[in-house]
Amino acid sequence: MHVVSREEMRNIDQYTITHIGLGGPVLMENAGRAVYAALEPECKAGDRICVVIGKGNNGGDGFVIARMLFDSGAKVSTWLAADPQKISGEAADHMRAYCACGGTLLRISDAPETFQQQLDRADWIIDALLGTGIHGAPYPDDQQVIRWINASKGTVISVDLPSGVPANGEAFDHPAVLADQTMTLECPKLAQFMQPAARHFGTVRVLPIGIPNKAYQQVGVQRELRMRSDVVRTLPVRDPFSHKGNHGKGLLIAGSKNMPGAAFFSAKAALRSGIGLLKVSVPEAIQPILAAQLPETMYLPRVQVGLDGASGVGIGPGLGREAREEELVCRLVEESDTIPCVIDADGLFHLRNHLDLLPKRHKPAVLSPHPGEMALLTHASVQDVERDRFGISKAFAEKYQVYLVLKGKATLVTAPDGRQIVNPTGNAAMAKGGSGDVLTGILLAFLLQHEQMMDAVSNAVYVHGAAAEELAAREHSLLDVLASDLIEAIPPVLHQLYDEKTCR
């Protein structure tokens, strides 16, 4: 499923209309019908529905929804935030169709108090005020309508985008609708994954409206939302005659005297994720601790670290920040240039002044920073990173020729060629120390088992988030999940995914 910008969506629509021949009125009809079909099962007989319509194409979708509701016998009131004479194009066509079917139009400016009263009594409010075309702050009258919608008690359904939210997710400080649900048309927009915009969406449903895939190909969209079907399709299948050497010989350089747990979390996660053989290099002082907990691994003293026999390496979790670790990280990044290399946590701290090593590698490295670490790597602020996750990630991945995993809600994976995949899994239970170490282990294991690096990285991120969802759906709250719990949730998640793969 594609993720698009405002400009890309406009070009996709235009190509569909001009070159494929699906006219604007048809797409608008499809959009309105899709929203109505999604809404209809949730409405009860007698529910009061208020449809709020602006003058643009989003309003045109609203007219179709209002017409469908009116024809169904629902108690619907349709309010215009614009002069009907200024509504044009396909939106005007659907306004006339609504009126021809017997529907009545009410102007907010003619009866603002009545509008507020109906909003207060409404069970459902359909927000079709402003769409993806908005630039900057809405007009003052529209801002007032948005405030009234947000003050209402009914369930707010935004069509395509909560009104007032910029489609590309730019920072804003003007009023925007706080939707309970957003019914996004055809594909997600960038704003859904950016702060502060993402807080306005509520629950999101993506509704297809009939745009052919060729339109996306012609426009050249390089962003996708990772679907469960994508994961199932690309998971590696084991040869029944394979042996441990066929599934990767990993080396993990992690842990320090004060942080032995980081090495444990990464190592056990790698083992749970299917790695064939794993060596862990830790300081001698903590080796007995890990050996007692992880008898399945082999151990390599930190002073003897080398890549002999390794087909992949993970560097960084709990490594420590002394100068000798910086030298070690740089050496391993250089020496491992033909095998997969995952760099996280303290590994990123040491690498920040040696980023020039990355483009020299034959095999791209995988970096997995959280926003704070990304800010460190780019000499930006955390706020800058969060305001432009897509742009900053793309520029960094292309410049340094890496696979970048920018962690957070909707973790973003970016390839060296600029392709981007948004991960839909995960929850706030992961906001706890050790969660990132678990991801490092899954990444290392998956990189040694998948044929394509982008699939390996994207699937690892998906499984990591799905483990948190599995825990929250069963016996855990969002507060009590530990990193070790995440590891133990990997097996049931993989079991479910492979069950689905077998059924296909």
Side-chain angles (χ1 to χ4, degrees), residues 38-55:
L39 178 64
E40 191 269 337
E42 299 187 34
C43 294
K44 303 187 298 293
D47 279 356
R48 289 165 292 195
I49 306 172
C50 188
V51 183
V52 184
I53 292 177
K55 69 176 183 179

Side-chain angles (χ1 to χ4, degrees), residues 364-397:
V366 178
L367 277 60
S368 54
H370 56 58
E373 291 163 340
M374 192 66 198
L376 189 70
L377 293 173
T378 57
H379 304 290
S381 68
V382 174
Q383 291 74 20
D384 290 336
V385 171
E386 291 288 41
R387 279 195 291 260
D388 190 18
R389 290 172 64 86
F390 289 90
I392 286 177
S393 294
K394 186 173 187 291
F396 188 93

Side-chain angles (χ1 to χ4, degrees), residues 15 22 53 73 93 105 109 124 135 139 168 240 249 257 334 356 390 412 492:
Y15 184 89
L22 294 176
I53 292 177
D93 293 339
L105 298 178
S109 60
W124 300 86
H135 289 271
Y139 292 123
N168 288 352
K249 299 176 181 179
K257 184 177 180 180
E334 289 184 290
D356 58 305
F390 289 90
L412 179 62

